[in-house]
Structures are given as structure tokens and as C-alpha cells.
Amino acid sequence: MIRLKGGRIIDPANGRDEVGDLFIEDGHIVAAPNIPDSVKETYDLSGKIVMAGGIDLHSHIAGNNVNLSRTLLLEQHPGMDPHPGHAPFSTAPWSTYETGRLYAEMGFTTVIEPALVAQGAVQAHLELADIPYIDRGALAVLGNTDFLLKMLRDGEGNISTDLLDDYVAWSIAATKCLGVKVVNAGGGAAFKENVRTFGLDDVVPSYGVSSRAIMQALIASVNRLGIPHPLHVHCNNLGVAGESYITAIQTMEAAGGLPIHLAHLQFYAYASEGKRHFSSASAFLAEAISQHKNVTTDVGQVMFGQTVTLSGDVVRQYASLSDARPKKTILWDGDGTGGGIVPYAYKAKNYYNALQWAIGLELFLLIDDPWRVYFTTDHPNGAPFTTYPQILHLLMDAGERAAWIARLPKKAMDMALLPQLTREYSFYEIAIMSRAAPARLLGLADRGQLGVGAAADISVYTEQADKTAMFSAADYVFKDGDLIVEGGKVKPYRWGRTHHLKPPKGSSQIDARLERYYAEQYGISAGAFAVPDAFNGGPSHFEVHPCRK
């Protein structure tokens, strides 16, 4: 048994913020032993902050778009250090090894890939499995597949039928995912027919169904199936000033009170006021979130520097091709969705980029319920996840924000609300937003908390005024009770698990229909892309969670 002694335990899931002890045995947190001699190892955490391991709800860390972006930007991926003996593959930036190492050293223990395309499920899971130290999971992308759109067109997949539920359940089971994501519902299919803008009430040619109808059908199906994580929605009109925030609010209303999660809200918080027709709409969206209690969101914070935008929203990425920095891009198409890879450099002296930075922080500070707003950069779209410590510093320290604001273009800051906002996040609120709340939303009941019976995923930090330094390097990180980080550096290789749902089994009708469809369309079995149970060494690679129904 391990004793973590005398740290400040911040555990919002159990209403705890106090100095105390934690005990670890067999990978879980246990009650204090009756026999003191049971403790074999003690860590003195006096003066340190103790939280559950961080959970990143939305970070692109595996799959086709991630690998295409690595290939496109080879010059951004030189070898960093000599190859360590405990790492079997490259240590280049954003390799699987580096992804796991960098997350772990910041105190994160679970990361979710939010856009797994069915045809690439096996490859994506192989890549997820190769990320060390942390647990992983993924969301299955639906909303543009030919099979689904034909069901909706023919009236066989409307919100009152079982067939749609069977298809959604089959898709999650085949791809071994934790939930469902929709990317610009119908937009990928419409793009194939030369549609270049696609709003919530636009209709997909050849199918006769609107984006709204597709999204509402999936929201209802996810709810009926009891999938813990609500439909994860990448809305229409991303980045379109004057339209994006209106579309986001309309999407909230379209959910009809059912749970829904809006991804990377910062990219929709753009109004069109001022001479440059680009201004902040964060107050409108924060108010809408307050009114719609069924809605959760993650921010997608922008930070300055070189990155790459990658997305299954081919409509948006096509419109962004001219903005590529450096000037090289990839656009690809496929069944269900395509993808776009557009490099981009956010510049502090650029009016638009500076305002994007401010808008993201405004959303964090204006949405007053930390249980409903989640900590992301939409890695790598807004910024690499390695900027998280800086963002935490900005949220917790108004003086740090003021120092940044003073260095940014005055005209941009004059159009922002941020200079007027004085709120500072507490450690308790940070623990909610980055631990307890995403665990609850994903249905990972034993994560994001430090109660008896929880998985012993624990992060320990030395409290510092410089929150960037504090959150960049955890003193200790335990993963399922194993010490994986000490003094801000990872220990020798250690593997996590991939979490997925076991949805209710549908009727044999869906299996027969999918077999016919795949045979006629592609000449292969419907199970050709399915991830087997005996994957990467066996079922123990996975951790399976039930639906709520």
C-alpha cells in the first residue's frame, strides 16, 4: 500500500478541498488502513496540490488527418534527443511517444481523440495503442455517410425508428469508441456535389435532408441508446464572422432540450462589428450556454505560434486554403467525410489572431459554470496541447492576462471584452474543468475523482505563483497506482488502456443490411474495418464501459 501524506486534496467530484492523506492499493484509491504496517511506501506531499489525473476531452492525437499533417510538415518534426532505450519508436515532436510523455509530465492521464473515421478505425486504434503512459479513447464520426443519409432520405432513419439506433450502436461497437461526433452534418457529403457553404438548414443534394435533420436524428439516437457522452457537435459555419455565433445558438435550440456538446466554441464566437468586420460574440454565446442547461462545450483556445489546422470539415478547410502558412495543404475526400490539412501560424501582432486569443479566454471567464465548459485548444487547431500550462496561468491570474494584453494590438483589444474581466479561476474550478467534469461527461465514473474505489490516477504539483511553471511539470503522477512521473520527468515505459463503450446489441436487420451495402458498394464485408476484441495483444488492452440504458 502507498500513502500520499499531507497534501492539499482538491477533489470536486467528492466535494473535497482539504489537507489530508490518500492511500493506493492494487491500482485504486482505498480507505485508510486499520493496520499502519500495511503502508509500505510514503510520499510526503506537504505544501503540494493533489488532484485527479487530467482528462482532455478533445485532442487530435491519432488517425488519418494527424498522420497527414505530420507528413505535410516534416520540417516541424526533427529529432529532439538521442533515441532513449525505453522508447521503441521516434522521439520526434508529436510522435506517439512524445504525445504520451508530454501529456503525462503535465499531469494528464486520459486523452480523447474526437474524430475517428470508421474506415480508419484499425489504424487509429493501433496509433492510440502506441501512445504510452496515458489512457485513450475516441469518438466515432457520423453524419455524412452514404448509408446514414440514405436511411434518412428514405424515412427509415428518422428520430422515431429503431433502425437508426441500431446503426449508431453498430458504429460505436465496430470502431470501439466512447461516443459519437458529427462534423458539419451533411457538409462533407454536400461538398462532393460542389457545395462550398453549408448552413444548418441547407439540404444535402441527392439526399434531400438538411443538416438540422441529420443532427437532430443523431442527438435523439445517442440519447435513446444511453450513451453517456452527448452528441459531440462540430457546428456549421465555423469561423464565419457574423454567422458562426448565430449558428451555434441555433444549434443549441435545435437540440430541443436533449443533451448536446458543442466542440471548440471559440471558433464560433465571431461577430462582424467594426471596420474590420470581426469582433467578439463571446457574451452572446456565454448567455446562450447559461440559458440552455442541456449544453456543454469546450473552448478551443488559440495561442500564438506555428501550428496546423486539421479537420473533417472539408467545407471549412477548403475555404481556408489561401490562409496556409507555410503555403502547402492537403484536401482529401472519402465516404462519410474527408479532411483538410492547412498549416497556420497565429501571430500576436495580427489583429484577427489577437482577438481570437482574447475571445477564447472570454468564453472561459464568462461561462460561470465550470462543470459545463472544458479545457481544450482543439489540439492542434488552436494551439498545441503543450500550451495548457500557459492557459491555466492566464485563467488563474488577472495580472498575467493584463501583461499579455499590453503587448497585443490596441485596436484588437479595444474590440474585446477581456480587458474588463477580472475573474480568476481557483484550483477547485480548474480541477472541475479539467478533471471531474470531463470524466462525468464521458461516463468514466472512476476517473477524474479521488474517492475510495476510484482508479489511482493522481497528479501532484508544488504550488507556485508562476502557474505556467507549476503546471508544466508535475512533481508526481500516478497512473493506476504506478508512479509514471517524478520531478517533472517520465519514468520508464508504461502502457495505459483504451476506453470504449459496449452499446446495446441491435436487431439482426442492421447486420444484414450493412453486409449487403458493403458488398454492393465496396465488394467487402461490413466488418472489414471493425476493431476486433483481441486487438493489440488481447481484450486487456481495452477498458469497456456500459451505456446508461
Side-chain angles (χ1 to χ4, degrees):
M1 182 179 291
I2 298 171
R3 180 188 184 188
L4 305 184
K5 177 185 176 183
R8 180 184 168 189
I9 298 169
I10 301 178
D11 180 19
N14 293 292
R16 191 177 183 190
D17 183 354
E18 61 187 4
V19 174
D21 295 353
L22 290 176
F23 296 88
I24 302 171
E25 189 171 40
D26 296 330
H28 292 81
I29 296 172
V30 297
N34 294 323
I35 304 173
D37 289 346
S38 300
V39 175
K40 304 302 181 185
E41 192 172 7
T42 297
Y43 292 83
D44 185 355
L45 305 185
S46 301
K48 299 185 186 296
I49 299 291
V50 183
M51 298 180 179
I55 299 175
D56 193 342
L57 183 75
H58 186 117
S59 181
H60 297 279
I61 56 173
N64 192 51
N65 281 340
V66 172
N67 282 299
L68 284 173
S69 65
R70 289 171 176 152
T71 303
L72 183 68
L73 296 170
L74 289 174
E75 71 277 11
Q76 301 293 328
H77 303 271
M80 292 174 65
D81 298 302
H83 191 282
H86 60 269
F89 299 114
S90 168
T91 57
W94 314 128
S95 68
T96 52
Y97 173 77
E98 285 297 286
T99 297
R101 178 183 74 83
L102 292 167
Y103 263 116
E105 290 179 348
M106 293 190 303
F108 280 77
T109 54
T110 303
V111 180
I112 305 302
E113 162 55 56
L116 189 149
V117 178
Q119 293 89 332
V122 172
Q123 181 274 329
H125 271 285
L126 285 169
E127 191 172 357
L128 288 171
D130 198 50
I131 298 174
Y133 302 113
I134 62 173
D135 284 356
R136 299 83 43 182
L139 304 178
V141 175
L142 293 177
N144 281 285
T145 60
D146 176 65
F147 186 86
L148 173 65
L149 296 183
K150 284 179 177 176
M151 286 172 57
L152 295 172
R153 180 192 65 191
D154 299 339
E156 297 176 306
N158 62 58
I159 60 174
S160 64
T161 66
D162 292 333
L163 189 61
L164 175 62
D165 294 355
D166 289 348
Y167 176 61
V168 172
W170 179 91
S171 299
I172 290 175
T175 58
K176 287 192 166 37
C177 283
L178 271 172
V180 178
K181 181 183 183 182
V182 61
V183 178
N184 191 0
F191 185 80
K192 298 176 175 67
E193 301 195 49
N194 209 34
V195 173
R196 295 296 176 259
T197 61
F198 197 70
L200 185 60
D201 290 304
D202 288 337
V203 172
V204 185
S206 301
Y207 296 98
V209 293
S210 69
S211 185
R212 180 190 296 268
I214 298 165
M215 184 189 66
Q216 288 177 327
L218 289 172
I219 290 172
S221 181
V222 166
N223 186 67
R224 285 194 301 268
L225 288 167
I227 296 169
H229 184 49
L231 185 68
H232 197 99
V233 179
H234 171 126
C235 300
N236 313 76
N237 290 324
L238 182 147
V240 182
E243 295 184 33
S244 57
Y245 78 96
I246 296 172
T247 299
I249 293 171
Q250 290 173 339
T251 302
M252 297 182 207
E253 295 168 347
L258 292 177
I260 184 175
H261 180 86
L262 301 188
H264 39 68
L265 194 65
Q266 180 273 141
F267 289 107
Y268 297 93
Y270 306 155
S272 55
E273 304 301 320
K275 292 182 179 179
R276 299 177 189 240
H277 305 291
F278 189 83
S279 58
S280 173
S282 60
F284 296 109
L285 288 178
E287 176 61 24
I289 293 284
S290 177
Q291 293 175 0
H292 294 83
K293 304 300 184 185
N294 57 310
V295 177
T296 56
T297 190
D298 61 84
V299 169
Q301 176 65 37
V302 160
M303 296 292 277
F304 304 117
Q306 179 68 51
T307 190
V308 58
T309 68
L310 54 90
S311 176
D313 188 345
V314 288
V315 175
R316 175 67 259 168
Q317 293 300 79
Y318 177 80
S320 300
L321 296 181
S322 61
D323 296 327
R325 307 173 190 163
K327 292 292 184 182
K328 52 181 179 177
T329 60
I330 296 173
L331 203 69
W332 65 275
D333 201 3
D335 180 33
T337 188
I341 317 299
V342 182
Y344 193 79
Y346 292 100
K347 298 180 178 179
K349 297 302 182 183
N350 179 287
Y351 170 91
Y352 301 98
N353 296 164
L355 198 47
Q356 286 178 292
W357 172 85
I359 287 169
L361 293 172
E362 289 170 5
L363 289 169
F364 277 121
L365 297 168
L366 290 171
I367 299 172
D368 58 6
D369 184 356
W371 288 97
R372 295 172 56 215
V373 59
Y374 301 89
F375 186 76
T376 69
T377 59
D378 187 19
H379 166 83
N381 291 296
F385 65 78
T386 48
T387 60
Y388 286 2
Q390 289 179 299
I391 301 169
L392 290 170
H393 197 164
L394 290 164
L395 293 177
M396 299 183 76
D397 186 342
E400 180 73 2
R401 292 199 298 271
W404 282 57
I405 289 168
R407 299 192 294 266
L408 297 175
K410 184 177 184 301
K411 290 182 179 179
M413 295 302 98
D414 287 344
M415 295 297 292
L417 297 174
L418 187 63
Q420 306 167 34
L421 302 180
T422 59
R423 177 185 174 189
E424 294 180 332
Y425 268 69
S426 66
F427 282 117
Y428 197 84
E429 289 175 313
I430 292 298
I432 292 172
M433 181 175 61
S434 61
R435 271 89 173 162
R440 178 183 294 181
L441 194 72
L442 290 163
L444 304 179
D446 64 344
R447 314 282 156 159
Q449 57 135 325
L450 299 174
V452 171
D457 289 2
I458 304 168
S459 301
V460 179
Y461 306 92
T462 297
E463 185 172 356
Q464 303 177 52
D466 183 348
K467 300 301 188 292
T468 301
M470 174 180 170
F471 287 106
S472 291
D475 290 80
Y476 302 104
V477 179
F478 294 87
K479 180 75 192 74
D480 294 315
D482 291 341
L483 183 63
I484 63 169
V485 171
E486 185 172 12
K489 300 296 181 182
V490 289
K491 307 287 278 184
Y493 236 46
R494 195 265 189 206
W495 298 104
R497 294 176 179 168
T498 298
H499 297 266
H500 72 90
L501 281 182
K502 186 176 182 179
K505 174 66 176 172
S507 69
S508 59
Q509 181 186 8
I510 194 67
D511 295 330
R513 289 189 61 143
L514 284 164
E515 283 298 333
R516 287 197 303 272
Y517 176 82
Y518 273 85
E520 292 170 1
Q521 293 288 112
Y522 307 114
I524 58 175
S525 167
F529 301 111
V531 180
D533 290 333
F535 179 83
N536 196 46
S540 61
H541 166 78
F542 293 111
E543 185 159 335
V544 185
H545 302 267
C547 287
R548 288 177 175 152
K549 295 182 182 178

